[in-house]
Amino acid sequence: DAKTTQPNSMESNEEEPVHLPCNHSTISGTDYIHWYRQLPSQGPEYVIHGLTSNVNNRMASLAIAEDRKSSTLILHRATLRDAAVYYCAPGQGGSEKLVFGKGTKLTVNP
Amino acid sequence: KAGVTQTPRYLIKTRGQQVTLSCSPISGHRSVSWYQQTPGQGLQFLFEYFSETQRNKGNFPGRFSGRQFSNSRSEMNVSTLELGDSALYLCASSLQGGGTDTQYFGPGTRLTVL
């Protein structure tokens, strides 16, 4: 299985940008990198995913390293509602199997 | 459009019993995956079903099984429950699967084994 490494926790202030890193050095060349976030007592919520180039949506941006061994989720202006555990989850073998990291708990200070 | 629903939301069982969990995917989604979430191991992939066929399987013992019906609804079964099976079981659905689609997760079923 691909190995995924994320920092245990990060802290940010409201309305400031947040960069959440993830290492996935064993990802194959055709597997997408997915990001989810999870609030207590809820299922993971999709944030963004990409393959090679940087991706943007209304929630966040995803910056993928050229060698694809790491990626960074960017929240442009953190809000209190962004406080959650963020998971990096590379796919595996072109399947639906996602290899979740341990997650980064993001705290947003008012 | 309704999201992924899972029933029941909470279950308490004793060791040795078996349990069946149910998942209804988003309308039109044909791929259903199951994950186990525990504090120690995190989120781990159990299996994926597409068009009533198991397409992928994670590294879990044979006590864990599943199936998918023609309407894409899915069930997973755990037999001979062990204390270590206590976990949040999550179901996710996507349109076609294959690793490129977005997977949408349900709220999960919290299983406690006593």
mmCIF file with all atom_site columns, all heavy atoms in Angstrom, chain B residues 16-41:
data_model
loop_
_atom_site.group_PDB
_atom_site.id
_atom_site.type_symbol
_atom_site.label_atom_id
_atom_site.label_alt_id
_atom_site.label_comp_id
_atom_site.label_asym_id
_atom_site.label_entity_id
_atom_site.label_seq_id
_atom_site.pdbx_PDB_ins_code
_atom_site.Cartn_x
_atom_site.Cartn_y
_atom_site.Cartn_z
_atom_site.occupancy
_atom_site.B_iso_or_equiv
_atom_site.pdbx_formal_charge
_atom_site.auth_seq_id
_atom_site.auth_comp_id
_atom_site.auth_asym_id
_atom_site.auth_atom_id
_atom_site.pdbx_PDB_model_num
ATOM 1   N N   . GLY B 1 16 ? -18.830 -12.714 19.275  1.00 0.00 ? 16 GLY B N   1
ATOM 2   C CA  . GLY B 1 16 ? -19.354 -13.942 18.707  1.00 0.00 ? 16 GLY B CA  1
ATOM 3   C C   . GLY B 1 16 ? -20.595 -13.759 17.848  1.00 0.00 ? 16 GLY B C   1
ATOM 4   O O   . GLY B 1 16 ? -20.919 -14.624 17.027  1.00 0.00 ? 16 GLY B O   1
ATOM 5   N N   . GLN B 1 17 ? -21.273 -12.645 18.032  1.00 0.00 ? 17 GLN B N   1
ATOM 6   C CA  . GLN B 1 17 ? -22.463 -12.397 17.214  1.00 0.00 ? 17 GLN B CA  1
ATOM 7   C C   . GLN B 1 17 ? -22.057 -11.947 15.814  1.00 0.00 ? 17 GLN B C   1
ATOM 8   O O   . GLN B 1 17 ? -20.882 -11.725 15.527  1.00 0.00 ? 17 GLN B O   1
ATOM 9   C CB  . GLN B 1 17 ? -23.341 -11.313 17.871  1.00 0.00 ? 17 GLN B CB  1
ATOM 10  C CG  . GLN B 1 17 ? -24.082 -11.773 19.097  1.00 0.00 ? 17 GLN B CG  1
ATOM 11  C CD  . GLN B 1 17 ? -25.042 -10.695 19.588  1.00 0.00 ? 17 GLN B CD  1
ATOM 12  O OE1 . GLN B 1 17 ? -24.686 -9.522  19.746  1.00 0.00 ? 17 GLN B OE1 1
ATOM 13  N NE2 . GLN B 1 17 ? -26.285 -11.097 19.832  1.00 0.00 ? 17 GLN B NE2 1
ATOM 14  N N   . GLN B 1 18 ? -23.044 -11.821 14.953  1.00 0.00 ? 18 GLN B N   1
ATOM 15  C CA  . GLN B 1 18 ? -22.788 -11.267 13.633  1.00 0.00 ? 18 GLN B CA  1
ATOM 16  C C   . GLN B 1 18 ? -23.637 -10.022 13.441  1.00 0.00 ? 18 GLN B C   1
ATOM 17  O O   . GLN B 1 18 ? -24.617 -9.803  14.159  1.00 0.00 ? 18 GLN B O   1
ATOM 18  C CB  . GLN B 1 18 ? -23.078 -12.292 12.537  1.00 0.00 ? 18 GLN B CB  1
ATOM 19  C CG  . GLN B 1 18 ? -24.535 -12.533 12.250  1.00 0.00 ? 18 GLN B CG  1
ATOM 20  C CD  . GLN B 1 18 ? -24.748 -13.254 10.930  1.00 0.00 ? 18 GLN B CD  1
ATOM 21  O OE1 . GLN B 1 18 ? -23.818 -13.810 10.335  1.00 0.00 ? 18 GLN B OE1 1
ATOM 22  N NE2 . GLN B 1 18 ? -25.973 -13.249 10.440  1.00 0.00 ? 18 GLN B NE2 1
ATOM 23  N N   . VAL B 1 19 ? -23.243 -9.195  12.468  1.00 0.00 ? 19 VAL B N   1
ATOM 24  C CA  . VAL B 1 19 ? -23.943 -7.941  12.256  1.00 0.00 ? 19 VAL B CA  1
ATOM 25  C C   . VAL B 1 19 ? -24.005 -7.634  10.756  1.00 0.00 ? 19 VAL B C   1
ATOM 26  O O   . VAL B 1 19 ? -23.101 -7.998  9.996   1.00 0.00 ? 19 VAL B O   1
ATOM 27  C CB  . VAL B 1 19 ? -23.235 -6.804  13.012  1.00 0.00 ? 19 VAL B CB  1
ATOM 28  C CG1 . VAL B 1 19 ? -21.853 -6.506  12.417  1.00 0.00 ? 19 VAL B CG1 1
ATOM 29  C CG2 . VAL B 1 19 ? -24.065 -5.545  13.017  1.00 0.00 ? 19 VAL B CG2 1
ATOM 30  N N   . THR B 1 20 ? -25.086 -6.996  10.351  1.00 0.00 ? 20 THR B N   1
ATOM 31  C CA  . THR B 1 20 ? -25.240 -6.556  8.963   1.00 0.00 ? 20 THR B CA  1
ATOM 32  C C   . THR B 1 20 ? -25.501 -5.065  8.940   1.00 0.00 ? 20 THR B C   1
ATOM 33  O O   . THR B 1 20 ? -26.395 -4.574  9.646   1.00 0.00 ? 20 THR B O   1
ATOM 34  C CB  . THR B 1 20 ? -26.404 -7.287  8.273   1.00 0.00 ? 20 THR B CB  1
ATOM 35  O OG1 . THR B 1 20 ? -26.140 -8.698  8.264   1.00 0.00 ? 20 THR B OG1 1
ATOM 36  C CG2 . THR B 1 20 ? -26.568 -6.802  6.846   1.00 0.00 ? 20 THR B CG2 1
ATOM 37  N N   . LEU B 1 21 ? -24.715 -4.357  8.153   1.00 0.00 ? 21 LEU B N   1
ATOM 38  C CA  . LEU B 1 21 ? -24.854 -2.911  8.001   1.00 0.00 ? 21 LEU B CA  1
ATOM 39  C C   . LEU B 1 21 ? -25.322 -2.607  6.590   1.00 0.00 ? 21 LEU B C   1
ATOM 40  O O   . LEU B 1 21 ? -24.924 -3.291  5.639   1.00 0.00 ? 21 LEU B O   1
ATOM 41  C CB  . LEU B 1 21 ? -23.514 -2.207  8.258   1.00 0.00 ? 21 LEU B CB  1
ATOM 42  C CG  . LEU B 1 21 ? -22.736 -2.635  9.503   1.00 0.00 ? 21 LEU B CG  1
ATOM 43  C CD1 . LEU B 1 21 ? -21.444 -1.827  9.611   1.00 0.00 ? 21 LEU B CD1 1
ATOM 44  C CD2 . LEU B 1 21 ? -23.583 -2.479  10.741  1.00 0.00 ? 21 LEU B CD2 1
ATOM 45  N N   . SER B 1 22 ? -26.111 -1.557  6.439   1.00 0.00 ? 22 SER B N   1
ATOM 46  C CA  . SER B 1 22 ? -26.694 -1.240  5.147   1.00 0.00 ? 22 SER B CA  1
ATOM 47  C C   . SER B 1 22 ? -26.273 0.141   4.663   1.00 0.00 ? 22 SER B C   1
ATOM 48  O O   . SER B 1 22 ? -26.059 1.054   5.459   1.00 0.00 ? 22 SER B O   1
ATOM 49  C CB  . SER B 1 22 ? -28.221 -1.303  5.243   1.00 0.00 ? 22 SER B CB  1
ATOM 50  O OG  . SER B 1 22 ? -28.810 -1.028  3.997   1.00 0.00 ? 22 SER B OG  1
ATOM 51  N N   . CYS B 1 23 ? -26.161 0.260   3.347   1.00 0.00 ? 23 CYS B N   1
ATOM 52  C CA  . CYS B 1 23 ? -25.751 1.521   2.736   1.00 0.00 ? 23 CYS B CA  1
ATOM 53  C C   . CYS B 1 23 ? -26.572 1.769   1.474   1.00 0.00 ? 23 CYS B C   1
ATOM 54  O O   . CYS B 1 23 ? -26.652 0.899   0.591   1.00 0.00 ? 23 CYS B O   1
ATOM 55  C CB  . CYS B 1 23 ? -24.268 1.469   2.382   1.00 0.00 ? 23 CYS B CB  1
ATOM 56  S SG  . CYS B 1 23 ? -23.672 2.844   1.362   1.00 0.00 ? 23 CYS B SG  1
ATOM 57  N N   . SER B 1 24 ? -27.159 2.954   1.375   1.00 0.00 ? 24 SER B N   1
ATOM 58  C CA  . SER B 1 24 ? -27.860 3.359   0.158   1.00 0.00 ? 24 SER B CA  1
ATOM 59  C C   . SER B 1 24 ? -27.069 4.471   -0.496  1.00 0.00 ? 24 SER B C   1
ATOM 60  O O   . SER B 1 24 ? -26.912 5.550   0.097   1.00 0.00 ? 24 SER B O   1
ATOM 61  C CB  . SER B 1 24 ? -29.284 3.829   0.487   1.00 0.00 ? 24 SER B CB  1
ATOM 62  O OG  . SER B 1 24 ? -30.067 2.758   0.932   1.00 0.00 ? 24 SER B OG  1
ATOM 63  N N   . PRO B 1 25 ? -26.553 4.238   -1.695  1.00 0.00 ? 25 PRO B N   1
ATOM 64  C CA  . PRO B 1 25 ? -25.720 5.257   -2.339  1.00 0.00 ? 25 PRO B CA  1
ATOM 65  C C   . PRO B 1 25 ? -26.556 6.395   -2.901  1.00 0.00 ? 25 PRO B C   1
ATOM 66  O O   . PRO B 1 25 ? -27.786 6.325   -2.936  1.00 0.00 ? 25 PRO B O   1
ATOM 67  C CB  . PRO B 1 25 ? -25.058 4.475   -3.478  1.00 0.00 ? 25 PRO B CB  1
ATOM 68  C CG  . PRO B 1 25 ? -26.048 3.403   -3.820  1.00 0.00 ? 25 PRO B CG  1
ATOM 69  C CD  . PRO B 1 25 ? -26.699 3.033   -2.525  1.00 0.00 ? 25 PRO B CD  1
ATOM 70  N N   . ILE B 1 26 ? -25.889 7.414   -3.339  1.00 0.00 ? 26 ILE B N   1
ATOM 71  C CA  . ILE B 1 26 ? -26.544 8.525   -4.032  1.00 0.00 ? 26 ILE B CA  1
ATOM 72  C C   . ILE B 1 26 ? -27.176 7.979   -5.309  1.00 0.00 ? 26 ILE B C   1
ATOM 73  O O   . ILE B 1 26 ? -26.578 7.123   -5.989  1.00 0.00 ? 26 ILE B O   1
ATOM 74  C CB  . ILE B 1 26 ? -25.524 9.629   -4.346  1.00 0.00 ? 26 ILE B CB  1
ATOM 75  C CG1 . ILE B 1 26 ? -25.064 10.301  -3.039  1.00 0.00 ? 26 ILE B CG1 1
ATOM 76  C CG2 . ILE B 1 26 ? -26.094 10.661  -5.306  1.00 0.00 ? 26 ILE B CG2 1
ATOM 77  C CD1 . ILE B 1 26 ? -23.923 11.275  -3.205  1.00 0.00 ? 26 ILE B CD1 1
ATOM 78  N N   . SER B 1 27 ? -28.351 8.458   -5.623  1.00 0.00 ? 27 SER B N   1
ATOM 79  C CA  . SER B 1 27 ? -29.058 7.986   -6.807  1.00 0.00 ? 27 SER B CA  1
ATOM 80  C C   . SER B 1 27 ? -28.181 8.124   -8.052  1.00 0.00 ? 27 SER B C   1
ATOM 81  O O   . SER B 1 27 ? -27.594 9.183   -8.309  1.00 0.00 ? 27 SER B O   1
ATOM 82  C CB  . SER B 1 27 ? -30.337 8.800   -6.978  1.00 0.00 ? 27 SER B CB  1
ATOM 83  O OG  . SER B 1 27 ? -31.012 8.405   -8.155  1.00 0.00 ? 27 SER B OG  1
ATOM 84  N N   . GLY B 1 28 ? -28.075 7.022   -8.806  1.00 0.00 ? 28 GLY B N   1
ATOM 85  C CA  . GLY B 1 28 ? -27.264 7.036   -10.018 1.00 0.00 ? 28 GLY B CA  1
ATOM 86  C C   . GLY B 1 28 ? -25.838 6.557   -9.826  1.00 0.00 ? 28 GLY B C   1
ATOM 87  O O   . GLY B 1 28 ? -25.131 6.271   -10.804 1.00 0.00 ? 28 GLY B O   1
ATOM 88  N N   . HIS B 1 29 ? -25.405 6.479   -8.596  1.00 0.00 ? 29 HIS B N   1
ATOM 89  C CA  . HIS B 1 29 ? -24.049 5.988   -8.316  1.00 0.00 ? 29 HIS B CA  1
ATOM 90  C C   . HIS B 1 29 ? -24.039 4.474   -8.333  1.00 0.00 ? 29 HIS B C   1
ATOM 91  O O   . HIS B 1 29 ? -24.916 3.826   -7.746  1.00 0.00 ? 29 HIS B O   1
ATOM 92  C CB  . HIS B 1 29 ? -23.562 6.485   -6.955  1.00 0.00 ? 29 HIS B CB  1
ATOM 93  C CG  . HIS B 1 29 ? -23.163 7.921   -6.971  1.00 0.00 ? 29 HIS B CG  1
ATOM 94  N ND1 . HIS B 1 29 ? -22.436 8.492   -5.937  1.00 0.00 ? 29 HIS B ND1 1
ATOM 95  C CD2 . HIS B 1 29 ? -23.376 8.911   -7.870  1.00 0.00 ? 29 HIS B CD2 1
ATOM 96  C CE1 . HIS B 1 29 ? -22.214 9.760   -6.216  1.00 0.00 ? 29 HIS B CE1 1
ATOM 97  N NE2 . HIS B 1 29 ? -22.783 10.044  -7.380  1.00 0.00 ? 29 HIS B NE2 1
ATOM 98  N N   . ARG B 1 30 ? -23.041 3.903   -8.994  1.00 0.00 ? 30 ARG B N   1
ATOM 99  C CA  . ARG B 1 30 ? -22.984 2.463   -9.135  1.00 0.00 ? 30 ARG B CA  1
ATOM 100 C C   . ARG B 1 30 ? -21.863 1.815   -8.331  1.00 0.00 ? 30 ARG B C   1
ATOM 101 O O   . ARG B 1 30 ? -21.827 0.606   -8.159  1.00 0.00 ? 30 ARG B O   1
ATOM 102 C CB  . ARG B 1 30 ? -22.827 2.110   -10.610 1.00 0.00 ? 30 ARG B CB  1
ATOM 103 C CG  . ARG B 1 30 ? -24.010 2.555   -11.459 1.00 0.00 ? 30 ARG B CG  1
ATOM 104 C CD  . ARG B 1 30 ? -23.742 2.373   -12.934 1.00 0.00 ? 30 ARG B CD  1
ATOM 105 N NE  . ARG B 1 30 ? -23.549 0.969   -13.274 1.00 0.00 ? 30 ARG B NE  1
ATOM 106 C CZ  . ARG B 1 30 ? -23.079 0.555   -14.444 1.00 0.00 ? 30 ARG B CZ  1
ATOM 107 N NH1 . ARG B 1 30 ? -22.725 1.437   -15.358 1.00 0.00 ? 30 ARG B NH1 1
ATOM 108 N NH2 . ARG B 1 30 ? -22.949 -0.730  -14.688 1.00 0.00 ? 30 ARG B NH2 1
ATOM 109 N N   . SER B 1 31 ? -20.929 2.618   -7.849  1.00 0.00 ? 31 SER B N   1
ATOM 110 C CA  . SER B 1 31 ? -19.817 2.082   -7.071  1.00 0.00 ? 31 SER B CA  1
ATOM 111 C C   . SER B 1 31 ? -20.044 2.384   -5.598  1.00 0.00 ? 31 SER B C   1
ATOM 112 O O   . SER B 1 31 ? -20.359 3.518   -5.221  1.00 0.00 ? 31 SER B O   1
ATOM 113 C CB  . SER B 1 31 ? -18.501 2.706   -7.537  1.00 0.00 ? 31 SER B CB  1
ATOM 114 O OG  . SER B 1 31 ? -17.453 2.375   -6.661  1.00 0.00 ? 31 SER B OG  1
ATOM 115 N N   . VAL B 1 32 ? -19.889 1.355   -4.770  1.00 0.00 ? 32 VAL B N   1
ATOM 116 C CA  . VAL B 1 32 ? -20.013 1.521   -3.323  1.00 0.00 ? 32 VAL B CA  1
ATOM 117 C C   . VAL B 1 32 ? -18.776 0.919   -2.658  1.00 0.00 ? 32 VAL B C   1
ATOM 118 O O   . VAL B 1 32 ? -18.414 -0.229  -2.927  1.00 0.00 ? 32 VAL B O   1
ATOM 119 C CB  . VAL B 1 32 ? -21.275 0.835   -2.774  1.00 0.00 ? 32 VAL B CB  1
ATOM 120 C CG1 . VAL B 1 32 ? -21.287 0.902   -1.241  1.00 0.00 ? 32 VAL B CG1 1
ATOM 121 C CG2 . VAL B 1 32 ? -22.529 1.483   -3.345  1.00 0.00 ? 32 VAL B CG2 1
ATOM 122 N N   . SER B 1 33 ? -18.140 1.710   -1.816  1.00 0.00 ? 33 SER B N   1
ATOM 123 C CA  . SER B 1 33 ? -16.964 1.246   -1.067  1.00 0.00 ? 33 SER B CA  1
ATOM 124 C C   . SER B 1 33 ? -17.251 1.304   0.419   1.00 0.00 ? 33 SER B C   1
ATOM 125 O O   . SER B 1 33 ? -18.048 2.128   0.875   1.00 0.00 ? 33 SER B O   1
ATOM 126 C CB  . SER B 1 33 ? -15.746 2.117   -1.379  1.00 0.00 ? 33 SER B CB  1
ATOM 127 O OG  . SER B 1 33 ? -15.394 2.036   -2.739  1.00 0.00 ? 33 SER B OG  1
ATOM 128 N N   . TRP B 1 34 ? -16.582 0.454   1.148   1.00 0.00 ? 34 TRP B N   1
ATOM 129 C CA  . TRP B 1 34 ? -16.723 0.419   2.610   1.00 0.00 ? 34 TRP B CA  1
ATOM 130 C C   . TRP B 1 34 ? -15.359 0.636   3.255   1.00 0.00 ? 34 TRP B C   1
ATOM 131 O O   . TRP B 1 34 ? -14.332 0.119   2.774   1.00 0.00 ? 34 TRP B O   1
ATOM 132 C CB  . TRP B 1 34 ? -17.272 -0.940  3.066   1.00 0.00 ? 34 TRP B CB  1
ATOM 133 C CG  . TRP B 1 34 ? -18.708 -1.165  2.728   1.00 0.00 ? 34 TRP B CG  1
ATOM 134 C CD1 . TRP B 1 34 ? -19.213 -1.688  1.577   1.00 0.00 ? 34 TRP B CD1 1
ATOM 135 C CD2 . TRP B 1 34 ? -19.842 -0.899  3.571   1.00 0.00 ? 34 TRP B CD2 1
ATOM 136 N NE1 . TRP B 1 34 ? -20.580 -1.754  1.635   1.00 0.00 ? 34 TRP B NE1 1
ATOM 137 C CE2 . TRP B 1 34 ? -20.994 -1.283  2.858   1.00 0.00 ? 34 TRP B CE2 1
ATOM 138 C CE3 . TRP B 1 34 ? -19.993 -0.380  4.868   1.00 0.00 ? 34 TRP B CE3 1
ATOM 139 C CZ2 . TRP B 1 34 ? -22.282 -1.160  3.379   1.00 0.00 ? 34 TRP B CZ2 1
ATOM 140 C CZ3 . TRP B 1 34 ? -21.260 -0.257  5.393   1.00 0.00 ? 34 TRP B CZ3 1
ATOM 141 C CH2 . TRP B 1 34 ? -22.399 -0.641  4.658   1.00 0.00 ? 34 TRP B CH2 1
ATOM 142 N N   . TYR B 1 35 ? -15.369 1.397   4.352   1.00 0.00 ? 35 TYR B N   1
ATOM 143 C CA  . TYR B 1 35 ? -14.162 1.675   5.119   1.00 0.00 ? 35 TYR B CA  1
ATOM 144 C C   . TYR B 1 35 ? -14.436 1.453   6.595   1.00 0.00 ? 35 TYR B C   1
ATOM 145 O O   . TYR B 1 35 ? -15.554 1.651   7.071   1.00 0.00 ? 35 TYR B O   1
ATOM 146 C CB  . TYR B 1 35 ? -13.713 3.135   4.926   1.00 0.00 ? 35 TYR B CB  1
ATOM 147 C CG  . TYR B 1 35 ? -13.187 3.455   3.553   1.00 0.00 ? 35 TYR B CG  1
ATOM 148 C CD1 . TYR B 1 35 ? -14.051 3.727   2.501   1.00 0.00 ? 35 TYR B CD1 1
ATOM 149 C CD2 . TYR B 1 35 ? -11.816 3.488   3.299   1.00 0.00 ? 35 TYR B CD2 1
ATOM 150 C CE1 . TYR B 1 35 ? -13.571 4.004   1.231   1.00 0.00 ? 35 TYR B CE1 1
ATOM 151 C CE2 . TYR B 1 35 ? -11.322 3.782   2.041   1.00 0.00 ? 35 TYR B CE2 1
ATOM 152 C CZ  . TYR B 1 35 ? -12.207 4.035   1.012   1.00 0.00 ? 35 TYR B CZ  1
ATOM 153 O OH  . TYR B 1 35 ? -11.716 4.328   -0.245  1.00 0.00 ? 35 TYR B OH  1
ATOM 154 N N   . GLN B 1 36 ? -13.381 1.067   7.309   1.00 0.00 ? 36 GLN B N   1
ATOM 155 C CA  . GLN B 1 36 ? -13.437 0.972   8.766   1.00 0.00 ? 36 GLN B CA  1
ATOM 156 C C   . GLN B 1 36 ? -12.586 2.078   9.346   1.00 0.00 ? 36 GLN B C   1
ATOM 157 O O   . GLN B 1 36 ? -11.455 2.293   8.897   1.00 0.00 ? 36 GLN B O   1
ATOM 158 C CB  . GLN B 1 36 ? -12.896 -0.388  9.224   1.00 0.00 ? 36 GLN B CB  1
ATOM 159 C CG  . GLN B 1 36 ? -12.934 -0.595  10.736  1.00 0.00 ? 36 GLN B CG  1
ATOM 160 C CD  . GLN B 1 36 ? -12.039 -1.741  11.186  1.00 0.00 ? 36 GLN B CD  1
ATOM 161 O OE1 . GLN B 1 36 ? -10.827 -1.698  11.036  1.00 0.00 ? 36 GLN B OE1 1
ATOM 162 N NE2 . GLN B 1 36 ? -12.646 -2.784  11.725  1.00 0.00 ? 36 GLN B NE2 1
ATOM 163 N N   . GLN B 1 37 ? -13.107 2.787   10.338  1.00 0.00 ? 37 GLN B N   1
ATOM 164 C CA  . GLN B 1 37 ? -12.337 3.840   10.988  1.00 0.00 ? 37 GLN B CA  1
ATOM 165 C C   . GLN B 1 37 ? -12.206 3.554   12.473  1.00 0.00 ? 37 GLN B C   1
ATOM 166 O O   . GLN B 1 37 ? -13.210 3.427   13.186  1.00 0.00 ? 37 GLN B O   1
ATOM 167 C CB  . GLN B 1 37 ? -12.972 5.214   10.772  1.00 0.00 ? 37 GLN B CB  1
ATOM 168 C CG  . GLN B 1 37 ? -12.127 6.357   11.319  1.00 0.00 ? 37 GLN B CG  1
ATOM 169 C CD  . GLN B 1 37 ? -12.687 7.730   10.973  1.00 0.00 ? 37 GLN B CD  1
ATOM 170 O OE1 . GLN B 1 37 ? -13.875 7.912   10.784  1.00 0.00 ? 37 GLN B OE1 1
ATOM 171 N NE2 . GLN B 1 37 ? -11.806 8.724   10.866  1.00 0.00 ? 37 GLN B NE2 1
ATOM 172 N N   . THR B 1 38 ? -10.980 3.444   12.953  1.00 0.00 ? 38 THR B N   1
ATOM 173 C CA  . THR B 1 38 ? -10.695 3.261   14.372  1.00 0.00 ? 38 THR B CA  1
ATOM 174 C C   . THR B 1 38 ? -9.659  4.276   14.802  1.00 0.00 ? 38 THR B C   1
ATOM 175 O O   . THR B 1 38 ? -8.879  4.761   13.978  1.00 0.00 ? 38 THR B O   1
ATOM 176 C CB  . THR B 1 38 ? -10.150 1.845   14.665  1.00 0.00 ? 38 THR B CB  1
ATOM 177 O OG1 . THR B 1 38 ? -8.932  1.660   13.915  1.00 0.00 ? 38 THR B OG1 1
ATOM 178 C CG2 . THR B 1 38 ? -11.151 0.770   14.288  1.00 0.00 ? 38 THR B CG2 1
ATOM 179 N N   . PRO B 1 39 ? -9.616  4.610   16.088  1.00 0.00 ? 39 PRO B N   1
ATOM 180 C CA  . PRO B 1 39 ? -8.613  5.573   16.562  1.00 0.00 ? 39 PRO B CA  1
ATOM 181 C C   . PRO B 1 39 ? -7.183  5.112   16.301  1.00 0.00 ? 39 PRO B C   1
ATOM 182 O O   . PRO B 1 39 ? -6.319  5.915   15.996  1.00 0.00 ? 39 PRO B O   1
ATOM 183 C CB  . PRO B 1 39 ? -8.904  5.674   18.060  1.00 0.00 ? 39 PRO B CB  1
ATOM 184 C CG  . PRO B 1 39 ? -10.333 5.275   18.200  1.00 0.00 ? 39 PRO B CG  1
ATOM 185 C CD  . PRO B 1 39 ? -10.552 4.219   17.150  1.00 0.00 ? 39 PRO B CD  1
ATOM 186 N N   . GLY B 1 40 ? -6.951  3.824   16.399  1.00 0.00 ? 40 GLY B N   1
ATOM 187 C CA  . GLY B 1 40 ? -5.594  3.321   16.248  1.00 0.00 ? 40 GLY B CA  1
ATOM 188 C C   . GLY B 1 40 ? -5.135  3.166   14.811  1.00 0.00 ? 40 GLY B C   1
ATOM 189 O O   . GLY B 1 40 ? -4.008  3.528   14.461  1.00 0.00 ? 40 GLY B O   1
ATOM 190 N N   . GLN B 1 41 ? -5.990  2.658   13.957  1.00 0.00 ? 41 GLN B N   1
ATOM 191 C CA  . GLN B 1 41 ? -5.625  2.360   12.567  1.00 0.00 ? 41 GLN B CA  1
ATOM 192 C C   . GLN B 1 41 ? -6.095  3.406   11.570  1.00 0.00 ? 41 GLN B C   1
ATOM 193 O O   . GLN B 1 41 ? -5.698  3.377   10.410  1.00 0.00 ? 41 GLN B O   1
ATOM 194 C CB  . GLN B 1 41 ? -6.175  0.987   12.159  1.00 0.00 ? 41 GLN B CB  1
ATOM 195 C CG  . GLN B 1 41 ? -5.631  -0.162  12.986  1.00 0.00 ? 41 GLN B CG  1
ATOM 196 C CD  . GLN B 1 41 ? -4.136  -0.291  12.850  1.00 0.00 ? 41 GLN B CD  1
ATOM 197 O OE1 . GLN B 1 41 ? -3.581  -0.175  11.758  1.00 0.00 ? 41 GLN B OE1 1
ATOM 198 N NE2 . GLN B 1 41 ? -3.459  -0.510  13.974  1.00 0.00 ? 41 GLN B NE2 1
#
